[in-house]
Amino acid sequence: MADNTPDFGPEEIRSYLKVTGWAPVSGGEVAELWRLPGPADEVVLVPMKPGAPDFAKRARILIQDLARVGSEDVQTVHDAIATVYNDVTDLRASHPSMSDGSIPLESGYELFVSAKRLRVASAAATIRRQGHFRNFPTRARDQAREVRLGQTRRGSYIVPIISQARSPEDVYSPRQDHIDVQVEETLFDRRVTATMSRALGVLEDMAGAEHAPTASEINDSIGEGVSYELCQALAKVVNTESVSALDVAFNWSRVAAPPPGTPAHVEFNRDAIEIVDLVSEQLKTKVYTREHLIYGVVTDLSRHPDDDTGRVGVQTLIQRRSRTVWMDLADRDYHAAVHCHDAGIPVRVSGTLTSPPGGLARMVVTAFGPDPSLGAND
């Protein structure tokens, strides 16, 4: 670990300690004491002033103490604290001939490029479910510039993609009357990772099935985020000469529960890629299969007792600007909207979106409910 200032602050430290069983016992503006209940009754000092001359030194001592207590490597503890608000997706290329943790240049290049392709394709599917994009939404292309890559790790050859999972603050409060643009930008990263995990899980299931995927199954996979571009990103890295398999591990943030229905690990070998190629070819023709998705908070509710539907306003980001999208919801979905509004739960809505500049944004809804990408705050 470097001797310069750690790339985290007191909030990351405190969140990490909380989710690993520690609790504050005393402290002030300069430092806090945290205790780990148990026979050893361990106590550590947490520096609270990032700008203090001794902050880096105190942080290193803290990390060493935590590594000792947890019987872990110092670097492992450092990385866990630094990424406590992040999801880390590990892409690992493997081949029986790899023995020293290195990888041929061509294969390494394809792995890094595929990391970008997988991320951008998943971001596009988070905005729009579509079998073949040709042209990605601008917001999707921005993903490649906003997520980070960690240091490559030994273990065949591992490239970590680091993306935001949530902010230190609570996401939203009950009866929230507006979205926070910065929070929504952070949550978009978590939504992209969730889309990527579900989509790759669906592809892995189809590749492992006893029968070739049917046209109906392939069409249904679009709804889970599978696209021609995602399939191509997988195929290009596994089909390089020195790679026999690609596996992807999703290490979800410790401060947000894993999204339901997402696999923790997927793997694709050459046999699996044959099925992925089959799916890819069919998706290539589905450029006009499209469904919009929006995410945000319910801010407006209106319903007459005698009406079969209620009018709902969901504040969301459209082209990274705050907009209210209006929709008419049937009884069950309207009650779900009321619950999400009262509890401060973000929602995901899919359907056909029209958002003319300067006019009202409207959506014909096909599905409405709590955002499945977001786990509960621990």
Side-chain angles (χ1 to χ4, degrees), residues 114-318:
S114 289
K116 174 183 176 180
R117 290 170 177 156
L118 287 169
R119 195 72 195 180
V120 174
S122 299
T126 304
I127 299 167
R128 233 172 29 230
R129 298 298 201 240
Q130 193 167 311
H132 180 19
F133 285 89
R134 292 186 180 168
N135 295 308
F136 286 124
T138 301
R139 183 69 183 91
R141 293 196 301 269
D142 288 344
Q143 267 290 293
R145 294 189 288 270
E146 293 170 2
V147 298
R148 295 177 292 140
L149 282 179
Q151 293 290 331
T152 54
R153 297 199 292 266
R154 297 178 71 89
S156 293
Y157 195 82
I158 299 174
V159 173
I161 304 173
I162 302 171
S163 59
Q164 298 181 96
R166 61 173 298 141
S167 62
E169 299 80 17
D170 289 338
V171 178
Y172 286 122
S173 303
R175 299 181 181 274
Q176 185 83 19
D177 62 0
H178 66 281
I179 60 171
D180 183 306
V181 174
Q182 187 172 0
V183 168
E184 284 300 310
E185 293 284 7
T186 298
L187 296 182
F188 183 75
D189 280 359
R190 158 53 75 101
R191 290 160 178 151
V192 172
T193 308
T195 299
M196 181 175 170
S197 179
R198 289 195 188 95
L200 293 181
V202 168
L203 279 174
E204 184 185 51
D205 288 344
M206 287 195 289
E210 294 181 356
H211 64 276
T214 64
S216 176
E217 289 172 334
I218 293 174
N219 195 58
D220 288 346
S221 75
I222 298 172
E224 297 297 332
V226 177
S227 67
Y228 168 80
E229 288 76 13
L230 187 84
C231 294
Q232 287 291 294
L234 281 176
K236 286 184 178 179
V237 65
V238 179
N239 285 335
T240 56
E241 184 178 349
S242 300
V243 174
S244 62
L246 173 73
D247 65 69
V248 185
F250 295 91
N251 306 295
W252 302 102
S253 166
R254 300 285 292 271
V255 297
T262 55
H265 174 269
V266 293
E267 183 172 354
F268 298 89
N269 56 23
R270 295 282 175 84
D271 291 338
I273 292 301
E274 290 183 10
I275 300 299
V276 172
D277 285 339
L278 187 154
V279 174
S280 176
E281 280 303 308
Q282 294 206 32
L283 291 177
K284 193 174 183 180
T285 65
K286 296 186 178 295
V287 65
Y288 298 114
T289 303
R290 177 182 300 181
E291 186 174 58
H292 297 95
L293 289 92
I294 64 169
Y295 310 82
V297 296
V298 175
T299 55
D300 295 271
L301 295 159
S302 175
R303 184 181 184 183
H304 190 276
D306 296 331
D307 290 344
D308 293 330
T309 63
R311 190 161 175 78
V312 173
V314 174
Q315 197 170 120
T316 185
L317 292 184
I318 297 178

Side-chain angles (χ1 to χ4, degrees), residues 1-14 29-32 45-64 78 81-82:
M1 186 170 56
D3 288 336
N4 56 0
T5 302
D7 51 353
F8 52 77
E11 285 303 319
E12 286 84 356
I13 297 172
R14 296 175 87 252
E29 294 184 359
V30 175
E32 292 181 347
L45 179 110
V46 177
M48 297 297 294
K49 290 285 188 181
D54 65 342
F55 179 81
K57 176 182 177 181
R58 296 297 177 187
R60 286 194 295 273
I61 294 172
L62 170 64
I63 292 170
Q64 290 166 1
H78 173 275
I81 296 174

